[in-house]
């Protein structure tokens, strides 16, 4: 199999991963002095901050995904290839991929991160992650299927397990999906499933730490805890999950919670690519880089986004936050330096500018920390809506999401609660 990429007299930049960082870099390098090749295992870009809304049947997958080939139609010296990257050959400056060998002059690793199960096979096999559109669709199907089964289940113990959802992880993803499910319990279940007693639905949020949203101020944490508790979410703080067997989540204190829907959002680990020097790999698999985002021990390999750990920034000794803004800012810095290299101009060190942090909890409930200001409630919720609408690619997607949110605000009667499964064709 051949990658079928035309030779060029320009130096070639290969970008692995079309997430927020990789996509930003690809856009910035169009019409530059380089040939650009973007590689991703999917043929679409997905918008991670709204994946939980797909999982809770608030949005369709197509609203937060956009095909790469549509984004780059008609662009010269740009190539997209859908492939899985298997290894880097630093001696030959090549990538081994599922579609063959691809040569690079400069390589940018922006392949992001995946769910961290901390080496526990039972967590990996028996819980539901929520890191991609495909995983969110699986989660949505599971939630809806379990509600359907609960309506006809006569065994009370089995029925309770079907009606119990456990979210493991007290970060932004855990808070957001728990809040979305709590709103579903209040506004949707009584109407869609009148034969179920909505009061018997239980939503647990299990957090190993002593407060939610540990990356935010304690004031924001307390606000989120208060809002979720008022919405009916059962918070279990300082509770460490140790195993998951027989449709039960086991906690370190000996507690066992029966559930057919256990959502795992308890951490991430950088995606691994073979061929990177062992000394260049840091905590949680992140690639250690200098202040120019160049991978330690290499000359022409860079890393950005969730996959990278920029060393030497005294303001962030533990690494920059694995957030959208960090990935985008790193991409812009690397793009600027590539252009400077082509002109033999001085390079610019990466400096992260914290634009703030937000997390939504439910309708009119959110927390935000912007420019030293910490606030919540309706103002934070409206700001969250505006920021995310602006960040979505495509006018159509912006309009669809805005209309969905407006419709949901007033009546929650959107027709998105479909159980859809891919079926392989048999020939």
């Amino acid at each position: 199999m051949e990658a079928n990429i035309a030779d060029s007299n320009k130096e070639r930049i290969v970008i692995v991963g079309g997430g927020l960082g990789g996509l930003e870099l690809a856009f910035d390098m169009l019409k530059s002095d380089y040939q650009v090749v973007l590689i991703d295992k999917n043929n679409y870009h997905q918008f991670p901050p709204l994946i939980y809304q797909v999982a809770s049947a608030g949005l369709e997958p197509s609203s937060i995904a956009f095909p790469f080939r549509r984004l780059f139609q008609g662009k010269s010296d740009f190539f997209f290839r859908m492939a899985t990257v298997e290894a880097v050959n630093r001696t030959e400056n090549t990538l081994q991929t599922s579609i063959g060998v691809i040569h690079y002059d400069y390589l940018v690793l922006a392949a992001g991160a995946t769910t961290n199960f901390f080496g526990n096979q039972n967590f990996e096999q028996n819980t539901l992650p929520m890191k991609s559109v495909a995983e969110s669709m699986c989660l949505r199907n599971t939630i809806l299927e379990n509600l359907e089964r609960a309506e006809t289940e006569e065994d009370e113990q089995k029925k309770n397990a079907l009606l119990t959802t456990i979210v493991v992880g007290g970060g932004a993803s855990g808070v957001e999906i728990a809040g979305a499910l709590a709103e579903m319990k209040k506004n949707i279940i009584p109407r869609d499933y009148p034969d179920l007693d909505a009061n018997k639905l239980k939503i647990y949020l299990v957090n190993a730490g002593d407060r939610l949203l540990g990356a935010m101020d304690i004031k924001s944490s307390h606000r989120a805890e208060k809002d979720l508790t008022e919405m009916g979410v059962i918070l279990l703080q300082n509770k460490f999950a140790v195993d998951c067997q027989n449709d039960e989540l086991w906690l370190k204190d000996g507690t066992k919670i029966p559930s057919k829907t256990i959502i795992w959002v308890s951490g991430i680990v950088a995606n691994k690519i073979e061929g990177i020097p062992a000394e260049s790999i840091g905590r949680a698999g992140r690639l250690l880089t200098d202040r120019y985002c160049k991978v330690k021990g290499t000359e022409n390999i860079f890393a950005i986004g969730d996959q990278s750990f920029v060393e030497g920034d005294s303001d962030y000794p533990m690494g920059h936050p694995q957030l959208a803004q960090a990935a985008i800012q790193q991409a812009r810095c690397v793009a600027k330096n590539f252009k400077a290299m082509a002109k033999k101009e001085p390079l610019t060190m990466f400096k992260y500018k914290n634009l703030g942090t937000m997390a939504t909890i439910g309708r009119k409930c959110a927390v935000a920390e912007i420019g030293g200001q910490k606030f919540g409630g309706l103002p934070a919720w409206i700001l969250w809506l505006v920021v995310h609408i602006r960040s979505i690619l495509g006018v159509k997607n912006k309009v669809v999401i805005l209309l969905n949110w407006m419709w949901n605000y007033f009546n929650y009667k959107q027709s998105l609660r479909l159980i859809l499964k891919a079926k392989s064709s048999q020939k």
Side-chain angles (χ1 to χ4, degrees), residues 242-308:
V242 294
D243 210 347
C244 180
Q245 297 182 33
N246 304 318
D247 296 325
E248 289 181 332
L249 182 71
W250 297 9
L251 304 182
K252 192 174 183 179
D253 63 7
T255 303
K256 296 181 181 180
I257 310 173
S259 173
K260 285 284 189 180
T261 312
I262 302 174
I263 304 170
W264 188 267
V265 285
S266 190
I268 59 175
V269 60
N271 282 312
K272 184 179 180 181
I273 296 178
E274 297 294 336
I276 299 298
E279 61 272 19
S280 303
I281 302 174
R283 185 172 177 269
R286 296 172 75 175
L287 303 182
L288 305 177
T289 78
D290 61 18
R291 294 293 298 278
Y292 304 96
C293 298
K294 185 170 70 175
V295 175
K296 185 177 180 180
T298 71
E299 291 300 322
N300 57 349
I301 301 177
F302 299 77
I304 61 174
D306 289 352
Q307 209 172 9
S308 77

Side-chain angles (χ1 to χ4, degrees), residues 2 11 36 73 344 392:
E2 296 266 347
E11 290 186 303
V36 179
Q73 278 182 3
K344 302 188 184 309
I392 284 287

Side-chain angles (χ1 to χ4, degrees), residues 358 380-392 405:
M358 294 181 287
W381 184 71
I382 292 174
L383 180 62
W384 183 91
L385 293 179
V386 171
V387 168
H388 285 78
I389 283 290
R390 287 187 61 190
S391 301
I392 284 287
W405 283 346

Side-chain angles (χ1 to χ4, degrees), residues 47-252:
F47 188 64
L50 294 182
I51 281 176
Y52 83 95
Q53 291 211 1
V54 175
S56 57
L59 291 173
E60 281 291 358
S62 58
S63 298
I64 66 165
F66 212 83
F68 290 119
R69 293 190 180 279
R70 173 65 183 86
L71 291 169
F72 295 101
Q73 278 182 3
K75 305 300 182 184
S76 60
D77 285 317
F78 174 87
F79 297 86
F80 168 73
R81 292 295 180 263
M82 188 175 79
T84 301
V85 175
E86 298 161 356
V88 179
N89 185 326
R90 292 184 292 123
T91 303
E92 300 292 332
N93 284 345
T94 59
L95 284 177
Q96 181 61 51
T97 78
S98 56
I99 60 170
V101 174
I102 297 177
H103 167 79
Y104 65 83
D105 292 293
Y106 297 98
L107 175 63
V108 182
L109 300 175
T114 188
T115 304
N116 191 354
F117 295 100
F118 303 97
N120 189 311
Q121 292 296 314
N122 285 336
F123 286 148
E124 187 168 357
Q125 294 171 8
N126 301 321
T127 67
L128 295 156
M130 194 184 66
K131 197 73 179 67
S132 67
V133 168
E135 289 174 348
S136 69
M137 285 295 293
C138 179
L139 176 53
R140 183 176 89 171
N141 286 343
T142 300
I143 292 169
L144 298 176
E145 283 178 333
N146 286 345
L147 289 172
E148 296 291 343
R149 290 169 59 193
E151 264 205 328
T152 57
E153 180 58 65
E154 295 181 356
D155 184 292
E156 199 63 26
Q157 194 171 13
K158 292 180 180 179
K159 188 168 188 172
N160 286 336
L162 288 166
L163 294 176
T164 298
T165 300
I166 305 173
V167 180
V168 184
S173 295
V175 166
E176 289 173 342
I177 188 62
L181 293 173
E183 292 213 317
M184 191 175 180
K185 170 185 174 180
K186 177 183 177 182
N187 299 294
I188 292 173
I189 304 303
R191 293 191 299 199
D192 280 17
Y193 300 89
D195 296 324
L196 285 178
D197 183 356
N199 293 319
K200 291 186 177 181
L201 269 78
K202 295 180 180 178
I203 302 166
Y204 290 90
L205 179 52
V206 178
N207 182 30
D210 58 359
R211 65 184 180 94
L212 301 180
L213 301 174
M216 299 183 75
D217 186 79
I218 192 168
K219 181 180 177 181
S220 300
S221 297
H222 289 165
R223 175 109 195 194
E225 290 161 6
K226 176 178 176 291
D227 288 343
L228 284 173
T229 300
E230 290 177 353
M231 294 168 72
V233 176
I234 303 168
L235 300 183
L236 299 180
Q237 307 267 44
N238 285 312
K239 299 294 182 181
F240 196 81
V242 294
D243 210 347
C244 180
Q245 297 182 33
N246 304 318
D247 296 325
E248 289 181 332
L249 182 71
W250 297 9
L251 304 182
K252 192 174 183 179

Side-chain angles (χ1 to χ4, degrees), residues 291 313 315-316 320-327 329-330 349-357:
R291 294 293 298 278
D313 189 340
D315 292 333
Y316 295 91
H320 298 99
Q322 289 169 289
L323 300 174
Q325 271 303 317
Q329 290 179 34
Q330 287 170 358
M349 288 197 303
F350 172 68
K351 182 65 177 176
Y352 177 60
K353 182 179 180 181
N354 188 351
L355 299 181
T357 309

